[in-house]
Amino acid sequence: MNLHQLRFVREAVRQNYNLTDAAKALFTSQPGVSKAIIELEEELGVDIFTRHGKRIRGLTEPGRLVLGSVELIMQEIDSLKRIGKEYAAQDSGSFTIATTHTQARYTLPKVVQAFMVKFPKVRLSLLQGNPQQIAEMVQRDQADLAIATESIAEISGLITLPCYQWEHVVVVPPDHPLLKSRQVTLEEIAAFPIITYDSAFAGRSKIDHAFSLRGLKLDVLLEAIDADVIKTYVELGMGIGIIAGMAFDPERDKNLRAIPVGHLFGMNVSRVAVKQGAYLRSYIYTFIELLAPTLNRKLIEQAMNGEKEHYEL
């Protein structure tokens, strides 16, 4: 048994059981990958994959257990490599953040700027996607951490920590009748076409749930993943927008007005997520502290050790 065999098994699963793609991803030959997997199966005495002819189609029941062990072993190997790199170069290296557009556009710029001042030698990358996609990037070691709202807290294999709370706002033109309301109601909002986030983003499920509880129809004219797109169509007079409060800037959005609606849709919590058991380089701890000053290194390590009572808001 060797590490190459374990890498081949893991990559075959990651490439949806396509050994040609797995070989390309690992810069080796398809016959070599196939042979190594068969040799590992012979050594273990079980089939890891189900097959149709010479093609693998999925995991067997013992194969699922084998994959779990392979993931743990490879994670420890990756951690060993990171430890060596960190102590060889304390203030340099690579750092990949997976996040949603809202976080990347409105929350992270000042944090990233402060981080780069502290660590100018670090190569920082930002990857964007919906919460499920960015969680998978961390699970697959394509990113060091993820930042998002809502569902990211429910994904297995990740440790998530709360960063800050925020509420939705309704954005309207300066002369809109909703601005005359003392406290906007769901019924008043339901009277207008709505432009808001796609269902995978920024607390959309809370919006839908609030209307559903009241038996109100949500007339969604347009869905988008980008608050700037939502605001653009509101400015055109096509409807009213519901966006994350952090996405409204009175200086930049002078043609719009924002109405806080946390009383209707509740508060949302943005979270940072890291892979369970991952080794975090010291500058990643620093980044998390810049993002959420209440999350110092001690609390982060407690969270990663399973002491959840120490990091819930």
Side-chain angles (χ1 to χ4, degrees), residues 14 86 102 121 130 137 141 149-150 194 200 213 233:
R14 289 182 173 182
E86 174 161 357
T102 297
K121 297 179 182 179
N130 64 40
M137 291 176 193
D141 299 314
T149 302
E150 254 185 13
I194 294 171
L213 284 178
Y233 285 95

Side-chain angles (χ1 to χ4, degrees), residues 6-7 9-14 59 63-79 138-141 275-277:
L6 304 185
R7 288 193 180 96
V9 168
R10 181 175 67 172
E11 197 60 38
V13 175
R14 289 182 173 182
L59 287 167
R64 293 188 181 92
L65 298 175
V66 170
L67 179 64
S69 294
V70 167
E71 291 285 5
L72 290 174
I73 292 169
M74 298 311 300
Q75 184 170 307
E76 291 301 320
I77 295 297
D78 291 340
S79 291
V138 174
Q139 289 175 320
R140 295 176 179 178
D141 299 314
K275 188 174 182 179
Q276 193 168 24

Side-chain angles (χ1 to χ4, degrees), residues 183-229:
Q183 188 174 60
V184 172
T185 66
L186 289 174
E187 287 77 8
E188 289 175 315
I189 293 174
F192 300 94
I194 294 171
I195 305 167
T196 191
Y197 295 108
D198 176 87
S199 59
F201 289 86
R204 170 65 188 274
S205 63
K206 287 190 175 182
I207 297 172
D208 293 342
H209 184 63
F211 279 90
S212 177
L213 284 178
R214 298 289 286 272
L216 295 170
K217 179 177 173 55
L218 188 64
D219 180 17
V220 178
L221 176 71
L222 177 69
E223 295 178 320
I225 65 172
D226 184 341
D228 287 339
V229 171

Side-chain angles (χ1 to χ4, degrees), residues 72-126:
L72 290 174
I73 292 169
M74 298 311 300
Q75 184 170 307
E76 291 301 320
I77 295 297
D78 291 340
S79 291
L80 286 173
K81 291 179 179 179
R82 292 190 187 103
I83 291 171
K85 288 180 180 179
E86 174 161 357
Y87 281 90
Q90 294 281 347
D91 62 349
S92 63
S94 62
F95 179 23
T96 302
I97 300 166
T99 189
T100 61
H101 176 272
T102 297
Q103 302 289 340
R105 171 69 175 82
Y106 300 104
T107 302
L108 292 185
K110 290 183 180 179
V111 178
V112 168
Q113 184 180 41
F115 176 82
M116 295 309 297
V117 169
K118 287 179 174 287
F119 299 99
K121 297 179 182 179
V122 173
R123 298 185 304 277
L124 183 64
S125 300
L126 283 177

Side-chain angles (χ1 to χ4, degrees), residues 287-301:
F287 179 87
I288 296 174
E289 291 177 18
L290 289 170
L291 177 66
T294 57
L295 295 177
N296 57 48
R297 182 165 184 158
K298 180 179 179 181
L299 287 175
I300 297 167
E301 290 176 340

Side-chain angles (χ1 to χ4, degrees), residues 48-63:
I48 298 173
F49 296 102
T50 60
R51 290 174 170 82
H52 182 74
K54 293 184 178 181
R55 293 182 178 275
I56 63 174
R57 296 298 189 187
L59 287 167
T60 62
E61 188 61 34

